[in-house]
Amino acid sequence: MSSQHCILLTGATGLIGGELLPLLLSEPGNKVWALVRPDGISDADSRLAARVQRGNTSGLEIAWDRLTGVAGDLTVDHLGMAPDDRRAVASSVDTILHCAAETSFIRDEGCRRINVDGMAHLIEFARSCRKPPRFVYISTATVCGAVRDMHVTEDDARDGGPDHHNEYTRTKALAERMLRESGLDYLILRPSITISAGMSDRVFASAIMWFLPLLNRLDAIPIDPAGRLDVVTVAYVAQAIVAALNAENRRHDCYHISAGRESLTLGRAARFLDAYYGRSEPLELVPAHLWTRDMHRQYVRTPEQRKTFATLKHYLPFLNMNVTYDNGRLRELLGDAMPRLEPFESYAGDLLEIISPELLPRG
């Protein structure tokens, strides 16, 4: 993406969009219109300012005068924008950077409204623009659906059919298909599990890592220590997105932003937790297929342990997927501009302290 681009950014108050915003404004010439859904309390500019305060802008020279917040809503016709705002954006924008999403595994209706209806409304808006914009969609690597024990490539995605664990991944896959069939110039970028490392924000930290402190209450759990979890930091994702936008000679229209072959093993994560919490006995990880009723009775004994296990049991299938996402395309595209993947141990402790300081160490 060369200088002096005019970008409509959705999801600017979210995890990835909020970290992308200052990066985009630190690049010479970029102007950003940020679509912000009204919350009945604060206006668009106030919500953007609050999100920036929660993020990490260290070392960036940011041209805030090139940012305009626009009240709107992806789920309604015309993006919920005032007519004057809509005309102004449509006449100037040349790039749509779509980060907004419902990421809940349980809010099915919200996933359909935001991820599917929102895509339809954005496609309609893109077609109304004076200059046909490039449409960059921040999807998710998990559109591959309910797979196990795989190193997934970008071509392994499903089309929104029944083979998904939840409505989140299904609707993201459907949104991808809608964009592909739209006839627009598009680029799809698929981050894997994204962690808010470097941010001192409890809400973002808890969204992914909420279950880790709970493991400290158990003696054993049905998780394969050799299984892998493809985890990246939000800084890694945001830097990769900007680098991909700037890259020339892209050979593909879809790229994973992932750890790939460098993905974290669950055994390594457990060893970190043992050391961090100072456990006298290490947490025992037992492959799920070896976990028996007798083991369950042996290791899940107390009322606290039973409550904890009940909280975690619906999350265990995802931890046991053992799926990584190939990032060879992105490495080829970015070359020396490929962001550095930070090791889990370098940021996990800071996030755990934010989430649950009351659980530090129990001795």
Side-chain angles (χ1 to χ4, degrees), residues 198-361:
M199 299 174 59
S200 56
D201 185 281
R202 185 169 186 172
V203 173
F204 284 137
S206 299
I208 297 294
M209 299 184 66
W210 62 270
F211 69 94
L212 289 179
L214 299 183
L215 297 179
N216 197 43
R217 299 173 179 170
L218 299 171
D219 299 317
I221 193 165
I223 289 176
D224 187 346
R228 289 189 174 270
L229 204 59
D230 198 315
V231 174
V232 292
T233 67
V234 67
Y236 176 92
V237 171
Q239 291 165 19
I241 290 171
V242 172
L245 294 177
N246 289 331
E248 299 179 354
N249 302 318
R250 283 191 301 272
R251 297 177 51 223
H252 304 280
D253 57 27
C254 182
Y255 295 84
H256 283 153
I257 301 177
S258 58
R261 301 290 184 185
E262 299 178 64
S263 293
L264 175 75
T265 66
L266 293 167
R268 178 176 143 199
R271 290 192 295 273
F272 171 83
L273 291 174
D274 290 340
Y276 179 78
Y277 286 116
R279 293 180 61 115
S280 57
E281 294 292 334
L283 177 66
E284 185 175 351
L285 303 188
V286 179
H289 68 281
L290 299 178
W291 185 264
T292 64
R293 290 183 179 181
D294 287 343
M295 280 187 173
H296 190 87
R297 285 192 291 268
Q298 177 185 354
Y299 290 120
V300 186
R301 302 183 307 277
T302 69
E304 181 187 52
Q305 288 175 332
R306 287 193 289 271
K307 181 179 178 181
T308 298
F309 196 92
T311 300
L312 293 172
K313 68 179 181 180
H314 297 297
Y315 205 63
L316 293 177
F318 299 98
L319 291 175
N320 281 310
M321 284 174 62
N322 188 32
V323 172
T324 58
Y325 305 97
D326 188 83
N327 60 14
R329 283 186 184 180
L330 188 69
R331 290 185 177 279
E332 178 185 43
L333 176 68
L334 300 188
D336 292 341
M338 185 76 179
R340 175 179 173 271
L341 185 65
E342 298 180 61
F344 176 77
E345 294 83 355
S346 70
Y347 58 80
D350 291 338
L351 293 178
L352 288 170
E353 175 120 14
I354 294 168
I355 296 170
S356 56
E358 69 276 8
L359 292 180
L360 291 175

Side-chain angles (χ1 to χ4, degrees), residues 4-197:
Q4 300 182 348
H5 275 261
C6 188
I7 305 156
L8 173 62
L9 175 66
T10 73
T13 59
L15 175 60
I16 293 175
E19 295 304 285
L20 266 175
L21 179 60
L23 285 181
L24 293 170
L25 292 172
S26 69
E27 299 233 316
N30 285 340
K31 178 179 179 180
V32 177
W33 299 87
L35 187 71
V36 181
R37 180 168 51 85
D39 64 0
I41 301 172
S42 304
D43 61 19
D45 289 337
S46 297
R47 293 195 65 199
L48 289 170
R51 172 61 184 89
V52 169
Q53 290 178 354
R54 297 165 70 190
N56 183 3
T57 59
S58 177
L60 295 177
E61 295 184 11
I62 303 168
W64 294 114
D65 60 324
R66 291 193 263 108
L67 169 66
T68 303
V70 181
D73 188 336
L74 287 172
T75 67
V76 301
D77 290 339
H78 308 302
L79 301 181
M81 288 194 284
D84 287 348
D85 287 339
R86 182 180 172 88
R87 282 191 292 269
V89 178
S91 67
S92 60
V93 71
D94 57 40
T95 303
I96 294 174
L97 183 48
H98 182 25
C99 297
E102 172 60 78
T103 60
S104 171
F105 285 6
I106 60 174
R107 292 193 286 270
D108 291 358
E109 179 57 32
C111 287
R112 289 187 285 270
R113 284 191 308 105
I114 296 174
N115 299 344
V116 178
D117 295 348
M119 176 60 82
H121 291 137
L122 265 177
I123 289 172
E124 182 270 334
F125 172 79
R127 288 172 174 156
S128 75
C129 291
R130 179 182 60 82
K131 176 183 177 182
R134 180 176 53 169
F135 197 124
V136 183
Y137 180 38
I138 309 306
S139 183
T140 170
T142 59
V143 292
C144 61
V147 298
R148 289 181 56 89
D149 304 318
M150 281 186 66
H151 186 65
V152 174
T153 73
E154 287 87 346
D155 295 329
D156 290 321
R158 304 299 194 261
D159 63 359
D163 50 349
H164 285 263
H165 284 299
N166 53 60
E167 200 66 8
Y168 165 62
T169 64
R170 181 180 293 109
T171 55
K172 293 290 277 187
L174 280 169
E176 282 194 13
R177 186 172 69 183
M178 292 167 67
L179 182 57
R180 292 183 188 277
E181 295 175 352
S182 70
L184 297 171
D185 176 23
Y186 69 87
L187 173 65
I188 296 171
L189 301 173
R190 295 177 180 160
S192 58
I193 300 169
T194 304
I195 304 294
S196 61

